[in-house]
Amino acid sequence: MSSVSFLIDDKSPLIHYDPTWAAGNSGDDSLADQYFRGTFQTSNVTGSVATFSFNGTAFWIYGAKRTNHGTYTVTVDGANFAGNTGQSNVNLFQQVLFNQSGLTQGLHNVSIENTATGSLYVDIDMVTWQTEFNGTQLATETVDDADPRFQYQEPAWNTNPTDVNLFNNGTGHSTSVSDASVTLTFTVTESVSVFGTVGPGNGLYTVSLDSQQAIQYNATTYLTFYEVMLYHADNLGPGQHQLTLINLPETDGQTLNIDYALLTSR
């Protein structure tokens, strides 16, 4: 067995934050540039929760340990791990707040809850996880948005998203039409990741893989970020797969932007 690691930044829609969380920024925090890519999510509300799911055997939650941070509990598949603290007399960044390894290969659900009182903070900088596969080497392929394996519902999509020059290869697809879909058809044995933008002009979308139930995500963030992981799945098994994303804007003009996909196979 071999393993491969994946990373999602704090702003990825794959991490779900309850409404008490807010984006950290340099306007409010002069040390924001010490975080990975200069971004983080933070909350000082007791009981605030962030959640994510992954398919693998190990994971790591990264954040800061600072003078105004407090305690937090991490829950893994229903098991609580309390007594963690982010308090430090010296500000430390990109620190492992919690990790667990030796899990059974499969889907795991993780949450982190601020258990501190007195308006003390907990923050999330990024999350990584590890998944196992049979074999010794993986081949990775980048599928650009213009690749014919992406099939866009016409005429709902366009090839002129805002600041398209900042997309990978300088190309992208965008739609503001409600229920507009795009389907990626591919053949791999291991994983698929789809990348696009998150920002104030992006909104809700759903993703469904093969015959599985659709999952809803939210791409709305306070600033626009590019090449962000919008979806990931692994341990897919051999054969052809179909992945469908659907735009579900809550207000007029909210877009779903597709940049590229990464496929891995043995």
Side-chain angles (χ1 to χ4, degrees):
M1 292 285 270
S2 299
S3 63
V4 61
S5 296
F6 298 94
L7 182 152
I8 50 175
D9 200 10
D10 65 281
K11 52 191 173 287
S12 171
L14 302 188
I15 306 174
H16 177 265
Y17 303 93
D18 74 28
T20 63
W21 291 75
N25 61 80
S26 58
D28 298 327
D29 190 335
S30 62
L31 297 177
D33 62 352
Q34 299 297 304
Y35 289 83
F36 179 70
R37 294 182 177 175
T39 65
F40 62 102
Q41 300 288 325
T42 185
S43 178
N44 67 345
V45 177
T46 304
S48 63
V49 176
T51 61
F52 65 93
S53 299
F54 74 97
N55 194 3
T57 58
F59 72 94
W60 294 257
I61 301 173
Y62 290 82
K65 295 185 177 182
R66 305 179 66 172
T67 57
N68 60 347
H69 285 209
T71 59
Y72 54 91
T73 292
V74 176
T75 302
V76 183
D77 298 332
N80 294 325
F81 299 88
N84 307 285
T85 182
Q87 202 283 327
S88 174
N89 293 329
V90 178
N91 292 327
L92 302 170
F93 298 92
Q94 300 187 39
Q95 301 293 299
V96 176
L97 300 184
F98 187 86
N99 79 284
Q100 193 170 54
S101 59
L103 299 170
T104 301
Q105 176 67 38
L107 182 65
H108 301 282
N109 301 304
V110 181
S111 67
I112 180 170
E113 177 183 358
N114 186 351
T115 56
T117 58
S119 297
L120 294 176
Y121 287 87
V122 64
D123 64 33
I124 294 177
D125 192 357
M126 58 184 158
V127 170
T128 66
W129 71 89
Q130 189 175 80
T131 188
E132 294 184 349
F133 64 95
N134 293 318
T136 58
Q137 188 173 3
L138 286 178
T140 300
E141 178 187 8
T142 300
V143 182
D144 191 59
D145 66 284
D147 189 289
R149 282 173 285 184
F150 277 110
Q151 290 294 307
Y152 300 90
Q153 179 186 351
E154 300 295 347
W157 292 79
N158 66 76
T159 55
N160 297 296
T162 302
D163 294 325
V164 68
N165 58 299
L166 298 177
F167 285 55
N168 183 59
N169 268 353
T171 66
H173 274 72
S174 178
T175 184
S176 60
V177 177
S178 182
D179 293 322
S181 65
V182 54
T183 297
L184 172 64
T185 302
F186 59 96
T187 302
V188 299
T189 57
E190 287 304 322
S191 72
V192 57
S193 303
V194 178
F195 294 81
T197 68
V198 296
N202 301 125
L204 301 177
Y205 62 97
T206 62
V207 185
S208 58
L209 175 64
D210 297 331
S211 59
Q212 297 175 19
Q213 184 175 354
I215 302 173
Q216 182 172 281
Y217 299 95
N218 189 353
T220 305
T221 58
Y222 75 108
L223 292 175
T224 300
F225 299 96
Y226 302 88
E227 298 190 46
V228 176
M229 189 184 289
L230 302 181
Y231 179 78
H232 174 84
D234 51 37
N235 289 128
L236 299 179
Q240 188 176 85
H241 302 278
Q242 284 195 327
L243 183 70
T244 300
L245 295 87
I246 299 176
N247 188 37
L248 296 176
E250 293 183 288
T251 60
D252 289 343
Q254 284 186 322
T255 62
L256 173 61
N257 296 331
I258 302 298
D259 194 348
Y260 62 96
L262 286 181
L263 308 177
T264 58
S265 298
R266 291 196 296 271

